[in-house]
Amino acid sequence: MDEKNSLTGTEQTVDTVADRKTPVVAPSHKAVKKKSTITKLVFLGLVLVLGMIFAFVPMQFGLTKYNPFLSRESISLGLDLQGGVYAVYQATNTDTDNLDIKMEGTRSSLESLLASKGYTEATVVREGTDRIRVEVPDVDDPSGILQVIGEPTTVRFVLDSTNETIITGDNIVNAESGYNATNGYVVSLEFDSEGRKKFAEVTANNQGQTISIYLGDSTTPIQTANINETIPDGRAIISGNFTQESATELAGQIMSGTFDVALELKETQTISPTLGEDAMKYGLIAGIVGFVLVILFLCLIYRMMGVAATLALVLYVIIYLFFLAVLPWVQLTLPGIAGILLSIGMAVDANIIIFERIKDEYRGGKSIMAAYHAGFKKALFAILDSNVTTVIACILLMLLGTGSVSGFALTLLVGVLISLFSSLVISRFILKYFINLNSYNAKLYNLKRSKQYADLAASDTDAGVMADMEREQQEKDEKQQEKARAKEFRRSQKKGGKTA
């Protein structure tokens, strides 16, 4: 009995020694893990510093000046933020067939005309059924832009000898000014297939005659040119004593006659950037204050998880500014700023959903690392569902909305997509690095056990919880195997049917 007791005591002693020896291997493993984790965190810190430099600090490299992402030179500002001019046009004849199609064609042509003149940031939208609104931001000379788009009308090329209209604006693909060594400043014309045939026939049979160009119902031509040769390829050059300004003006007048409907200028106004400057300044202040308060909230409530979310949010802002600077169709307006602030709030919301799920998993008996994995896994679909609905709403607003509504939807869409990457990827990896450094101090992450698992260490997982996890995984594996067998059965049935 005594020997048995003595033998049992020896076994217990051996087990205890073995138990004590087992963790000895762990520190060396953890040390390697900590070294690699620290290396990754240092690299992340360098990325953050470089990102903030490129996002906010202007630099000079020799004669080249670098403009940061957050600068007026990098981010295209809308009319309400930097001023400019707007004009509203109305169709003069609304009784024509297919008015809606013709108005849309006119809007597209007007947009192309402005882009060809260098006004790539101009916005051309329809108002109602018979009006078109043109907004051109950051214009130094409003009268100049109004000369380009001032009176969109019809254009006619008339053969003077017969007074016959041979070409209309419907046949003109493009008209632009240029320069060549032989003729100096010229106006180049390009016709469509129908116009090419007409122009080739007229120029072949009427050499030496003149062609006059008329706008609208005017009886005074804006230009008269001699036919010097046959032009069979649909490309013609009007030459003469042009200056750069007069050639550009003539090309603009001809292009203004390519619209499907004639337009009348109803309203025009120059907008001062003063209101926009104040709004942008106070918007930035509000954004910074809100961002700081959000960081304080996250760090206070979630501690190291909040720190991880903060680093992810800083990277989110840097990436967001980068896309605002490089995407050519993004134009920042006051509604656009609202979209940015809303998307930042949604990025924070995704992190909070994840952290609360981690707290629930830890409260239920999982270790910190197990709670981390389960929290991200179980929060994934809730975050995706909420963000997908927002993405759908943004796309619909972009397709159906106009002006400021479309600008709000675009900035919100870009922000939501980046916030998904930030919360599900960047925040996840940063938090994983923190847990690798310390997975045994629950207070560091503001995690608490429920009463049932109050005596369970932070780095341990209750056997019952582990059994539940294993059962869940087993059920998942069985479902996948069942699907595979069903798929194989259907494939064999299909194959057997074909053979029969």
Side-chain angles (χ1 to χ4, degrees), residues 377-448:
K377 181 180 178 181
K378 294 183 178 180
L380 174 63
F381 292 105
I383 294 171
L384 286 178
D385 288 345
S386 63
N387 282 274
V388 165
T389 54
T390 305
V391 167
I392 293 173
C394 289
I395 293 174
L396 290 176
L397 286 174
M398 288 174 59
L399 294 175
L400 303 178
T402 58
S404 58
V405 174
S406 179
F408 167 79
L410 180 58
T411 54
L412 181 58
L413 176 63
V414 174
V416 167
L417 294 177
I418 299 174
S419 72
L420 275 174
F421 175 76
S422 172
S423 58
L424 297 178
V425 179
I426 299 177
S427 180
R428 181 170 189 166
F429 280 106
I430 295 175
L431 184 55
K432 181 182 177 181
Y433 298 152
F434 287 167
I435 295 176
N436 285 342
L437 290 176
N438 191 320
S439 61
Y440 50 84
N441 188 352
K443 292 182 179 180
L444 199 60
Y445 306 96
N446 200 21
L447 299 175
K448 295 179 182 179

Side-chain angles (χ1 to χ4, degrees), residues 225-245:
N226 292 318
I227 303 174
N228 295 328
E229 59 184 2
T230 302
I231 303 174
D233 59 356
R235 295 178 180 272
I237 292 177
I238 303 175
S239 58
N241 297 322
F242 287 117
T243 62
Q244 182 179 4
E245 291 76 15

Side-chain angles (χ1 to χ4, degrees), residues 466-498:
M466 183 62 72
D468 291 340
M469 293 175 64
E470 290 177 355
R471 187 174 64 254
E472 288 177 6
Q473 185 61 42
Q474 185 178 0
E475 290 175 354
K476 184 177 179 182
D477 293 340
E478 288 176 355
K479 286 181 180 178
Q480 289 179 346
Q481 291 173 5
E482 187 178 346
K483 285 183 180 179
R485 285 194 297 267
K487 186 177 181 181
E488 186 63 29
F489 176 76
R490 288 194 300 269
R491 188 181 299 169
S492 62
Q493 288 287 97
K494 188 176 181 180
K495 190 174 182 181
K498 287 183 178 179

Side-chain angles (χ1 to χ4, degrees), residues 268-346:
T268 181
Q269 185 173 339
T270 302
I271 299 177
S272 171
T274 304
L275 177 62
E277 287 178 351
D278 292 340
M280 189 169 185
K281 179 177 69 176
Y282 292 122
L284 286 173
I285 293 173
I288 293 171
V289 172
F291 192 75
V292 171
L293 291 176
V294 166
I295 289 174
L296 291 175
F297 170 80
L298 288 172
C299 294
L300 186 65
I301 302 299
Y302 299 103
R303 299 183 188 176
M304 288 305 293
M305 290 194 293
V307 173
T310 297
L311 295 176
L313 280 176
V314 173
L315 277 172
Y316 164 82
V317 171
I318 293 171
I319 296 172
Y320 202 165
L321 291 175
F322 170 76
F323 277 99
L324 289 178
V326 300
L327 293 178
W329 57 85
V330 174
Q331 190 174 72
L332 195 59
T333 60
L334 288 177
I337 292 176
I340 292 173
L341 297 178
L342 180 58
S343 62
I344 292 176
M346 295 187 68

Side-chain angles (χ1 to χ4, degrees), residues 54-60 64-78 81-82 120-121 138 277 280 284 321-328 330-332:
F54 282 108
F56 303 108
V57 181
M59 291 176 283
Q60 188 80 29
T64 304
K65 183 181 179 182
Y66 169 77
N67 297 310
F69 304 150
L70 187 61
S71 65
R72 290 193 174 187
E73 292 79 8
S74 299
I75 298 179
S76 173
L77 300 180
L81 293 181
Q82 64 178 352
T120 55
E121 299 174 3
D138 198 23
E277 287 178 351
M280 189 169 185
L284 286 173
L321 291 175
F322 170 76
F323 277 99
L324 289 178
V326 300
L327 293 178
V330 174
Q331 190 174 72
L332 195 59

